[in-house]
Amino acid sequence: MNTIGKNIKSLRIRGGLTQEELAGKLGISYQAVSKWENEVTAPDISLLPTLAAVLGTSIDALLGYAAEKKTSAYYEERYKDSEYYWGVKPSLMCLDVLRILPPTRPLRLLDAGCGEGKDAVFFAKNGYKVSAFDITDSGVEKAKRLAELHGVDIDFFRADIMDYRLEKDFDVIFCSGVLYYVPEGLRGEVLGNWKAHTAAGGVNALNVFVEKPFIPRPPDHDIELRKNWQSGELFGHYHDWRFERCEEVIFDCGSSGVPHKHCMDTLIAVKETLE
């Protein structure tokens, strides 16, 4: 769960410092800085306040959490409105899950980053045993009201995708519109935890925005908070699973009031085991 090495390197270069100069300001060897940036070792916790100050940042930003906190604050406010920010129509990826692994028997499904609960409610209405979490209190409360309106029972709870780790298995793990906030150094840990806690024959259904050099950066409110994912990066984490859907699509969007484009990778993969 450590992205600090890459953050140190990026902030050091942005500040015009060499490894030797940064080391001199901290009273350590440049070899120590090199090891941090290559993620061989990590700074002692006692150095973090000084290190953050020298690099002109906060400890949270150094650890990779600042963007997530700003993002949650934005949605915390948006979800307080009476209208549903994302609407109440389920995403198309929900239909793929329903087709690939229908609940012909009790199936446990986790909606990671459920927002206001529209997809979680869809799954519960179709017979899945649903758990769902979001980082926002307002989103979770709104999701509970939507579930009550539709007469379904869902285990909603508040959690942060950055540090929440599964301890029990699910048949389906669903995550739409959240992974692009996860920094590079955490992706393997998050997805590895999900894979390990997916039951045999289970499904992970995920999507993420990816960067393309020929697509201008979209004018979305949170564009500076998103972490760059590369084409196919998500698929690579599931190289040992069977792909039911593996797709990259460029589509038009007008969410900010300004027409623009996005590129999104979508993966629905099945955890196969040897006979």
Side-chain angles (χ1 to χ4, degrees), residues 233-275:
E233 182 180 350
L234 175 62
F235 309 147
H237 285 282
Y238 286 82
H239 66 91
D240 51 346
W241 285 32
R242 174 167 59 84
F243 289 5
E244 280 285 342
R245 179 182 172 193
C246 175
E247 182 179 50
E248 181 168 284
V249 175
I250 296 173
F251 60 94
D252 295 317
C253 183
S255 60
S256 62
V258 179
H260 58 279
K261 293 181 182 292
H262 286 292
C263 184
M264 176 171 278
D265 281 6
T266 298
L267 175 66
I268 302 180
V270 179
K271 185 176 184 177
E272 298 283 16
T273 57
L274 291 173
E275 295 292 339

Side-chain angles (χ1 to χ4, degrees), residues 9-275:
K9 183 175 182 179
S10 175
L11 291 165
R12 174 181 62 76
I13 293 172
R14 187 184 306 171
L17 296 172
T18 65
Q19 289 183 343
E20 290 82 357
E21 288 169 336
L22 177 58
K25 291 178 180 292
L26 298 172
I28 59 175
S29 69
Y30 79 89
Q31 290 94 337
V33 175
S34 177
K35 287 181 179 180
W36 297 345
E37 294 184 355
N38 288 295
E39 298 187 341
V40 175
T41 61
D44 187 273
I45 192 170
S46 63
L47 274 177
L48 292 182
T50 305
L51 180 57
V54 169
L55 294 174
T57 189
S58 67
I59 295 176
D60 277 346
L62 202 57
L63 295 172
Y65 293 127
E68 178 275 326
K69 289 186 177 180
K70 291 178 183 176
T71 303
S72 65
Y74 176 86
Y75 288 114
E76 191 73 66
E77 290 303 312
R78 298 292 79 76
Y79 292 163
K80 289 178 181 178
D81 294 340
S82 59
E83 296 296 320
Y84 278 76
Y85 185 83
W86 303 110
V88 294
K89 184 178 179 180
S91 69
L92 293 177
M93 197 163 63
C94 295
L95 302 179
D96 287 324
V97 172
L98 190 59
R99 172 181 59 84
I100 294 166
L101 194 63
T104 53
R105 57 181 174 83
L107 293 177
R108 301 151 296 177
L109 182 146
L110 175 70
D111 185 354
C114 65
E116 300 160 297
K118 62 183 181 64
D119 294 333
V121 167
F122 170 84
F123 285 123
K125 288 179 68 176
N126 279 279
Y128 295 87
K129 184 178 180 181
V130 180
S131 298
F133 72 83
D134 196 77
I135 194 171
T136 62
D137 289 314
S138 56
V140 169
E141 290 307 310
K142 211 167 180 180
K144 289 179 179 178
R145 293 197 296 272
L146 187 64
E148 184 177 359
L149 177 66
H150 286 272
V152 292
D153 184 24
I154 298 174
D155 176 25
F156 285 113
F157 59 98
R158 185 187 179 283
D160 181 349
I161 196 172
M162 302 295 188
D163 54 32
Y164 177 69
R165 299 293 177 264
L166 304 182
E167 296 181 351
K168 63 180 181 180
D169 289 355
F170 289 88
D171 299 290
V172 179
I173 296 178
F174 180 92
C175 183
S176 179
V178 179
L179 281 176
Y180 43 80
Y181 296 118
V182 178
E184 183 179 358
L186 275 181
R187 294 168 193 170
E189 182 178 340
V190 171
L191 296 176
N193 174 255
W194 292 0
K195 290 173 68 179
H197 287 284
T198 301
V203 167
N204 281 191
L206 320 164
N207 60 35
V208 67
F209 288 139
V210 298
E211 299 292 316
K212 289 291 188 182
F214 52 85
I215 298 179
R217 299 193 82 194
D220 296 343
H221 74 275
D222 60 351
I223 189 61
E224 298 299 330
L225 308 180
R226 297 177 185 173
K227 308 300 182 181
N228 293 344
W229 284 69
Q230 303 302 314
S231 290
E233 182 180 350
L234 175 62
F235 309 147
H237 285 282
Y238 286 82
H239 66 91
D240 51 346
W241 285 32
R242 174 167 59 84
F243 289 5
E244 280 285 342
R245 179 182 172 193
C246 175
E247 182 179 50
E248 181 168 284
V249 175
I250 296 173
F251 60 94
D252 295 317
C253 183
S255 60
S256 62
V258 179
H260 58 279
K261 293 181 182 292
H262 286 292
C263 184
M264 176 171 278
D265 281 6
T266 298
L267 175 66
I268 302 180
V270 179
K271 185 176 184 177
E272 298 283 16
T273 57
L274 291 173
E275 295 292 339

